[in-house]
Amino acid sequence: MKAWIDGELVPQEEATVPILSHSFSRGSAIFEVMDVVAAAGGEAGNRGTPRPALFRIDAHVERFFRSAELLHMPLPLDREDLAQAVKETVRANALAAGAVKFYGYYAGPELGLIPAEPRARVAVFCFDLEGTFGTAGAAPADPVTVGISTVRKPGPGAAAVQAKVAGQYVNAFLARWEAVQNGYDDAIMIDPAGCVAEGPLSNVFFVKDGLVRTPTLKHALAGITRDSVIEIVRDSRVPFEEADIPAEEATSADEAFYTGSVVRIRPIRAVNGRSLGGVCPGPITSSIRKALDGAHEGRDPRYRRWLTYV
Ligand code: PMP
């Protein structure tokens, strides 16, 4: 696989930074992870044949620029150039489906706390399905068990919640680590007020008596899959609200699921050892998942605007 670095394609293993770089030693690298899907549609006359497409690239590029702004990071390119670089990398690797991860980072060695480099660099990486998930098909999204973490999610004033920046993921790593030590697959992190924030790498939704709810964005990343799910839920006229959800309510939901790029929807089977509802995934989770898969695969004309064919 080849990586794109500031306009050049290089072997992925050569895309490295010094240990003393600000991005490594201070954790200031910003990044995005997005889906490359095999989607039907695209050109007229070629409607049925799946072709590689980027899922919601505009939203990912926009969030990347937002992360850069929050980190005061001067990027060396504009939104259009970045989208072109992503497409070029997917094409250069002949990727049919998988994931793209792109970074903004300071590459030079330095000891200062405020980076002295006038411009950050940009690197784009591709991953195929086999290499990413060890499967020939889409990401595995089997139901998981979760534990409510003692590792709290920092809020505004303590963290740049809306920035996807490497250093922030130590908190996520500790929450996932604790969950796995306790015999769960993953964690639900709560905010300083005791309400649900999100998972280590995903947003979280709950269903109770037919109402779909997700935490507000005070302590959660504005997930792009979260946004897609909200739009799908509203279009399907399923009752929905963003709310402060006390941690106790997580264990009494009828259904729950995580959302995130690549994995899309991951059903939650039990919270803190308590099984949720009956079958998992439950009926509302299943119907949202079906609609989201349809959007990814180019089967629903309403959401075809989310696809950019490579
Ligand atoms: N929250 C966090 C902390 C994340 O890292 C991610 C993954 N980007 C998400 C939520 C889900 O976001 P998205 O749907 O845009 O992948």
Side-chain angles (χ1 to χ4, degrees):
M1 284 277 180
K2 288 205 161 38
W4 184 102
I5 298 192
D6 282 348
E8 276 183 46
L9 289 162
V10 300
Q12 221 177 67
E13 53 282 9
E14 286 175 24
T16 55
V17 290
I19 291 172
L20 287 178
S21 66
H22 196 273
S23 297
F24 183 86
S25 64
R26 309 288 188 187
S28 61
I30 59 163
F31 65 100
E32 282 294 320
V33 179
M34 58 176 294
D35 291 330
V36 183
V37 292
E43 295 150 8
N46 189 22
R47 289 251 175 250
T49 319
R51 289 202 297 130
L54 303 164
F55 190 72
R56 301 204 62 180
I57 183 165
D58 295 350
H60 284 279
V61 166
E62 204 48 53
R63 190 170 64 188
F64 187 72
F65 274 78
R66 175 84 183 120
S67 296
E69 192 184 314
L70 289 165
L71 270 284
H72 317 291
M73 180 183 276
L75 291 172
L77 41 57
D78 63 20
R79 288 165 173 74
E80 183 53 30
D81 292 338
L82 177 56
Q84 284 304 333
V86 169
K87 284 187 208 165
E88 192 184 327
T89 317
V90 170
R91 274 192 223 113
N93 288 294
L95 193 74
V100 165
K101 188 164 188 176
F102 52 93
Y103 282 96
Y105 61 105
Y106 297 104
E110 65 177 301
L111 295 174
L113 187 54
I114 295 180
E117 278 175 72
R119 286 260 167 276
R121 315 241 182 130
V122 168
V124 186
F125 296 84
C126 281
F127 304 92
D128 63 19
L129 293 170
E130 190 78 48
T132 314
F133 318 122
T135 63
D142 300 335
V144 287
T145 61
V146 310
I148 294 179
S149 186
T150 63
V151 181
R152 300 244 165 164
K153 184 86 195 173
V161 178
Q162 297 309 332
K164 258 184 93 67
V165 54
Q168 226 141 254
Y169 284 81
V170 172
N171 181 253
F173 148 59
L174 293 175
R176 169 84 58 85
W177 190 88
E178 180 196 61
V180 171
Q181 291 306 304
N182 290 338
Y184 303 119
D185 298 310
D186 210 344
I188 285 179
M189 300 172 75
I190 56 177
D191 69 20
C195 288
V196 174
E198 60 180 342
L201 294 181
S202 39
N203 296 107
V204 62
F205 284 71
F206 300 95
V207 184
K208 181 77 183 172
D209 300 329
L211 172 67
V212 176
R213 296 205 300 165
T214 195
T216 68
L217 294 179
K218 268 181 289 185
H219 296 85
L221 184 76
I224 292 161
T225 321
R226 174 187 186 275
D227 183 73
S228 307
V229 164
I230 291 173
E231 192 164 330
I232 285 170
V233 162
R234 289 202 166 123
D235 288 349
S236 319
R237 308 211 184 292
V238 174
F240 166 76
E241 68 179 25
E242 282 180 272
D244 291 330
I245 303 170
E248 314 77 83
E249 291 184 22
T251 50
S252 58
D254 299 331
E255 301 176 34
F257 57 90
Y258 288 124
T259 60
S261 298
V262 185
V263 75
R264 303 180 193 172
I265 286 189
R266 173 158 278 167
I268 295 174
R269 185 152 54 82
V271 180
N272 277 3
R274 264 197 74 163
S275 292
L276 306 182
V279 287
C280 181
I284 293 183
T285 307
S286 292
S287 76
I288 296 170
R289 182 191 235 176
K290 198 168 153 215
L292 186 65
D293 284 344
H296 273 80
E297 285 147 27
R299 284 186 274 108
D300 191 330
R302 284 176 302 175
Y303 307 119
R304 212 164 268 158
R305 68 197 141 85
W306 286 341
L307 295 169
T308 302
Y309 293 88
V310 176

